[in-house]
Amino acid sequence: MIVSSRSTTTTGESLISNFFHRSVGQWRSERRYYTLPDGETKEMVSNITIRFLEQGCDELAHLADLHELSDRHSMICGAEVTWDSADSVSGKKQSKGLTLFGALGDVLYRDRGFATSKPVTAEFYFPNPETLCLRTEYKDSVFEEELKLVGQQYRTRQTIISRAGEQQMIGQYLEKRLA
């Protein structure tokens, strides 16, 4: 069976739109980072708020400008994610911020990356409708992420960060919906 690239893109676009819609709300994220190869761990807790972004909205137009896309309204949807993080053990505040995501085809545009404040892109795919997989590359690093919706109340995430072909860190997350 031959599938046109537009059919595949449309399927991916409908899956990402559905995934973002299902992720809308407030979440408590408990995460653990393992530094490799020594295995040192760091535990964090974050309050996350996810808002769906409709095609043509100001946030997606701004994101298109950051990525110098010729059509400011080409992204089919997106998400705004805000977070406030603290160290789980000490309670010390770690970070607070906002990130924009916008989807077009099989590319997820971001206004910032995990380890940079500059705009980045990630290739994405869905092995099934509940699981979003991302691959982002910048600054000689590769970030492989998997986000999985588990029913209506939970999400799991795993991030593997590699540099020069060597795994540097693994992040594992359990997120529970608060609202």
Side-chain angles (χ1 to χ4, degrees):
M1 178 177 158
I2 298 174
V3 178
S4 74
S5 62
R6 184 62 196 155
S7 295
T8 303
T9 299
T10 302
T11 301
E13 288 175 347
S14 65
L15 287 171
I16 193 76
S17 180
N18 184 50
F19 192 89
F20 283 158
H21 270 294
R22 292 179 58 198
S23 295
V24 166
Q26 295 176 334
W27 299 82
R28 176 181 169 83
S29 177
E30 296 177 6
R31 58 186 77 184
R32 180 175 286 163
Y33 294 105
Y34 300 92
T35 303
L36 303 175
D38 62 10
E40 179 183 330
T41 62
K42 184 173 187 175
E43 294 185 24
M44 307 280 291
V45 63
S46 299
N47 289 316
I48 298 172
T49 301
I50 301 173
R51 185 171 66 93
F52 185 82
L53 300 176
E54 298 282 347
Q55 185 173 23
C57 72
D58 291 343
E59 293 88 359
L60 291 180
H62 171 68
L63 191 55
D65 289 344
L66 289 175
H67 285 276
E68 300 178 352
L69 298 180
S70 59
D71 182 353
R72 298 183 78 224
H73 303 291
S74 59
M75 292 185 206
I76 58 106
C77 69
E80 176 189 82
V81 178
T82 58
W83 74 91
D84 190 358
S85 300
D87 184 288
S88 294
V89 177
S90 69
K92 181 179 177 185
K93 294 286 185 187
Q94 295 293 310
S95 67
K96 183 176 185 174
L98 178 145
T99 301
L100 298 175
F101 298 86
L104 177 61
D106 62 356
V107 176
L108 191 62
Y109 294 84
R110 301 169 70 164
D111 66 336
R112 59 175 294 136
F114 181 78
T116 182
S117 59
K118 295 182 180 177
V120 298
T121 59
E123 294 178 3
F124 75 86
Y125 69 93
F126 285 86
N128 61 63
E130 286 76 35
T131 306
L132 169 61
C133 296
L134 305 167
R135 181 181 173 88
T136 310
E137 296 184 41
Y138 58 87
K139 288 187 175 182
D140 299 322
S141 295
V142 176
F143 303 80
E144 296 173 289
E145 299 174 81
E146 177 187 273
L147 294 88
K148 182 183 275 287
L149 294 166
V150 182
Q152 299 298 314
Q153 299 301 313
Y154 298 95
R155 293 184 350 157
T156 60
R157 292 171 49 197
Q158 180 164 284
T159 303
I160 300 172
I161 303 170
S162 303
R163 191 170 297 115
E166 296 286 326
Q167 291 76 25
Q168 302 293 312
M169 182 178 289
I170 297 172
Q172 294 181 315
Y173 314 68
L174 175 62
E175 298 175 343
K176 182 177 181 181
R177 184 182 299 277
L178 300 175

